[in-house]
Amino acid sequence: MWTAKHTEWRRIAALLQTSGQHKYDPAQDVQGTTWAQEREARRQGAVDRHAAWVTERQEAKDELRAQVWLRADVSRRLRAIAARAGLSAEQVLAQLAQRVQMHDDGTVAVEPFTPSRGEDKGR
């Protein structure tokens, strides 16, 4: 970092000497102003990305993301069902999960349903 600062000070000194100015005026330093604007744009981009990430994390607190490995035949059936409904396989699985019922004996059941696009408006 000190090397970069030293290089920048030498560049400014050369600019002052070339232009005959006795005092540094950023408005007269086209290259320095351009670099400062680029740095500010990168900084603002990083701030914006961080804010979006924080918002996403806050919204995702109650969400569960899972990776599911299915046998090839099950995967093909799921994709076919999703394609007929105009959904992704993940959307069909989400609708399936919304309908799961847990019984007192620990068994899990899902009543028959038809996947639909109207249920995925928030996704």
Side-chain angles (χ1 to χ4, degrees), residues 24 28 34 50 57:
Y24 177 70
Q28 300 297 319
T34 301
H50 179 72
R57 295 295 304 151

Side-chain angles (χ1 to χ4, degrees), residues 18 24 26 49 122:
T18 304
Y24 177 70
R49 285 188 302 278

Side-chain angles (χ1 to χ4, degrees), residues 84-99:
R84 279 195 303 264
L87 300 169
S88 69
E90 292 82 3
Q91 291 170 317
V92 172
L93 288 175
Q95 289 182 21
L96 179 68
Q98 290 172 353
R99 289 175 170 76

Side-chain angles (χ1 to χ4, degrees), residues 87 91 94-95 98 116-123:
L87 300 169
Q91 291 170 317
Q95 289 182 21
Q98 290 172 353
S116 67
R117 299 188 90 180
E119 295 185 39
D120 270 1
K121 289 184 179 174
R123 296 193 180 268

Side-chain angles (χ1 to χ4, degrees), residues 40-67:
E40 178 57 26
R42 284 192 305 272
R43 186 196 69 75
Q44 188 60 50
V47 167
D48 293 345
R49 285 188 302 278
H50 179 72
W53 178 80
V54 168
T55 301
E56 181 181 312
R57 295 295 304 151
Q58 288 171 343
E59 291 173 355
K61 283 183 180 178
D62 291 332
E63 291 181 5
L64 171 67
R65 295 184 185 264
Q67 187 174 27

Side-chain angles (χ1 to χ4, degrees), residues 68-87:
V68 180
W69 292 86
L70 302 172
R71 291 189 329 255
D73 62 323
V74 175
S75 178
R76 281 191 294 274
R77 273 187 295 167
L78 175 62
R79 288 189 183 132
I81 292 166
R84 279 195 303 264
L87 300 169

